[in-house]
């Protein structure tokens, strides 16, 4: 026999899934729900907690509980890297028409809010080993956040590292005010004579940190995908290392491997 709070959760869950309660609808107050179900307020709170853990509702402090709005999905495919390379040498007018986020989400440029921040750092052991450079090497650290204007959470959390010596011939690459850069990183590297040869991506999953869960607006219990992308140039040097945290509830990774014919 289900417990009382589970029965309440079952009924509310059914009303959400059958469309009686729409995304963004506010649920009755805890007191009203307690009266409706003839149960105590603590029992109702347990039911609501269960639905929040499932990601069906969300609580806004001072306003109440709301049916959770679905977030925009992003499909990240490994074919995006060749798409980016094909555009790297196009005129700026062509490159400015669309970027990687629009490619992944199907949104338009005007739908997006973009943020970039640059700072000078030195390579710690982890980054140095991954990039094949000595510890203490001067790097440019770039932080990116892009979100759908109708939503509050970004699609992912991106931290990128470039070896400063490899890019400083073009001072424009050191200025965050030039972002968003038409054509992205591959065009930026092209301006200093760097062509990418391959991109390696390693993906793991883990629980989010409290800071990640808050910034990505994750339902309780949702994992994040952690992607480390390392881009090698034609001289086998690491040209760019990016650590990307992706929300597990609205990211699809699609890998397509072309096979040579016999």
């Amino acid at each position: 026999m289900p417990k009382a709070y589970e029965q309440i959760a079952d009924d509310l869950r059914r009303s959400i899934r059958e469309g009686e309660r729409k995304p963004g609808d506010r649920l009755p107050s805890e007191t009203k729900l307690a009266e409706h179900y003839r149960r105590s307020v603590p029992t109702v709170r347990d039911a609501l907690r269960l639905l929040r853990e499932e990601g069906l509702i969300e609580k806004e402090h001072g306003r109440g509980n709301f049916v959770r709005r679905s977030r925009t999905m992003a499909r990240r495919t490994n074919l995006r890297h060749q798409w980016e390379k094909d555009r790297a040498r196009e005129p700026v007018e062509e490159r400015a028409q669309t970027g990687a986020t629009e490619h992944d989400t199907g949104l338009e440029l005007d739908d997006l809010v973009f943020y970039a921040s640059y700072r000078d750092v030195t390579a710690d052991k982890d980054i140095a080993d991954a990039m094949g450079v000595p510890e203490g090497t001067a790097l440019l650290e770039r932080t990116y956040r892009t979100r759908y204007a109708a939503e509050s959470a970004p699609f992912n959390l991106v931290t990128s590292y470039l070896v400063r010596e490899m890019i400083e011939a073009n001072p424009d690459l050191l200025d965050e005010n030039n972002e968003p850069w038409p054509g992205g990183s591959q065009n930026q590297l092209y301006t200093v004579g760097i062509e990418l040869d391959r991109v390696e991506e390693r993906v793991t999953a883990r629980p989010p940190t409290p800071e990640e869960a808050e910034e990505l607006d994750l339902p309780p219990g949702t994992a994040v995908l952690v992607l480390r992308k390392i881009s090698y140039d034609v001289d086998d040097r690491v040209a760019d290392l990016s650590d990307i945290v992706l929300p597990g509830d609205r990211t699809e990774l699609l890998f397509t491997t072309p096979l040579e014919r016999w």
Side-chain angles (χ1 to χ4, degrees), residues 45-58:
R45 287 175 179 164
D46 285 341
L48 296 174
R49 173 185 52 78
L50 189 60
L51 296 179
R52 283 195 298 271
E53 290 175 351
E54 294 174 7
L56 289 176
I57 66 172
E58 54 192 352

Side-chain angles (χ1 to χ4, degrees), residues 27-48:
L27 272 62
S29 69
E30 294 174 352
T31 302
K32 291 289 187 183
L33 288 172
E35 292 174 357
H36 175 76
Y37 289 107
R38 299 181 181 180
R39 297 291 183 179
S40 68
V41 169
T43 299
V44 167
R45 287 175 179 164
D46 285 341
L48 296 174

Side-chain angles (χ1 to χ4, degrees), residues 5-258:
Y5 79 90
E6 293 174 330
Q7 293 175 343
I8 296 172
D10 285 345
D11 189 56
L12 291 172
R13 187 186 299 110
R14 177 201 56 76
S15 70
I16 293 170
R17 290 179 173 168
E18 292 182 3
E20 294 176 14
R21 302 183 192 274
K22 308 292 185 184
D25 284 355
R26 181 161 55 184
L27 272 62
S29 69
E30 294 174 352
T31 302
K32 291 289 187 183
L33 288 172
E35 292 174 357
H36 175 76
Y37 289 107
R38 299 181 181 180
R39 297 291 183 179
S40 68
V41 169
T43 299
V44 167
R45 287 175 179 164
D46 285 341
L48 296 174
R49 173 185 52 78
L50 189 60
L51 296 179
R52 283 195 298 271
E53 290 175 351
E54 294 174 7
L56 289 176
I57 66 172
E58 54 192 352
K59 187 170 186 177
E60 296 184 16
H61 294 292
R63 297 193 62 210
N65 292 284
F66 293 79
V67 179
R68 186 176 175 87
R69 293 182 176 88
S70 60
R71 302 301 197 263
T72 304
M73 288 290 297
R75 170 183 284 182
R76 185 184 179 95
T77 166
N78 57 313
L79 299 180
R80 77 200 302 266
H81 306 305
Q82 185 62 54
W83 176 80
E84 290 175 358
K85 185 170 183 177
D86 290 342
R87 298 171 66 247
R89 295 182 294 171
E90 294 293 332
V92 64
E93 295 80 7
E94 178 73 20
R95 289 183 274 115
Q97 291 182 12
T98 186
T101 301
E102 299 94 281
H103 182 267
D104 292 347
T105 62
L107 296 172
E108 299 294 331
L109 183 62
D110 291 342
D111 295 329
L112 302 175
V113 177
F114 181 84
Y115 166 83
S117 176
Y118 287 10
R119 66 174 184 146
D120 292 320
V121 299
T122 56
D124 61 19
K125 186 177 188 312
D126 173 56
I127 298 296
D129 288 348
M131 298 188 76
V133 297
E135 282 188 64
T137 295
L139 306 176
L140 180 67
E141 179 189 85
R142 308 181 299 175
T143 300
Y144 296 115
R145 302 288 186 270
T146 306
R147 65 175 176 85
Y148 180 27
E151 299 173 356
S152 59
F155 291 107
N156 48 48
L157 313 177
V158 182
T159 306
S160 168
Y161 299 94
L162 302 171
V163 176
R164 188 181 175 91
E165 185 180 18
M166 292 175 65
I167 61 167
E168 59 189 6
N170 183 357
D172 288 345
L173 301 185
L174 306 177
D175 187 353
E176 65 190 37
N177 293 311
N178 291 320
E179 296 281 6
W181 187 285
S185 293
Q186 290 213 43
N187 178 264
Q188 290 175 318
L189 295 170
Y190 169 67
T191 68
V192 289
I194 296 174
E195 178 187 356
L196 293 189
D197 173 71
R198 68 188 188 279
V199 178
E200 292 182 358
E201 295 180 296
R202 298 174 184 269
V203 183
T204 56
R206 60 166 170 78
T209 65
E211 294 78 13
E212 291 167 346
E214 180 178 3
E215 188 170 1
L216 291 169
D217 192 20
L218 296 176
T222 302
V224 292
L225 303 171
V226 182
L227 186 153
R228 170 160 285 187
K229 183 183 79 169
I230 302 179
S231 302
Y232 294 86
D233 71 6
V234 293
D235 295 318
D236 209 34
R237 300 176 301 175
V238 174
D240 178 20
L241 181 148
S242 296
D243 286 326
I244 306 168
V245 180
L246 302 151
D249 65 331
R250 51 190 185 272
T251 302
E252 179 184 26
L253 300 179
L254 174 63
F255 301 100
T256 301
T257 305

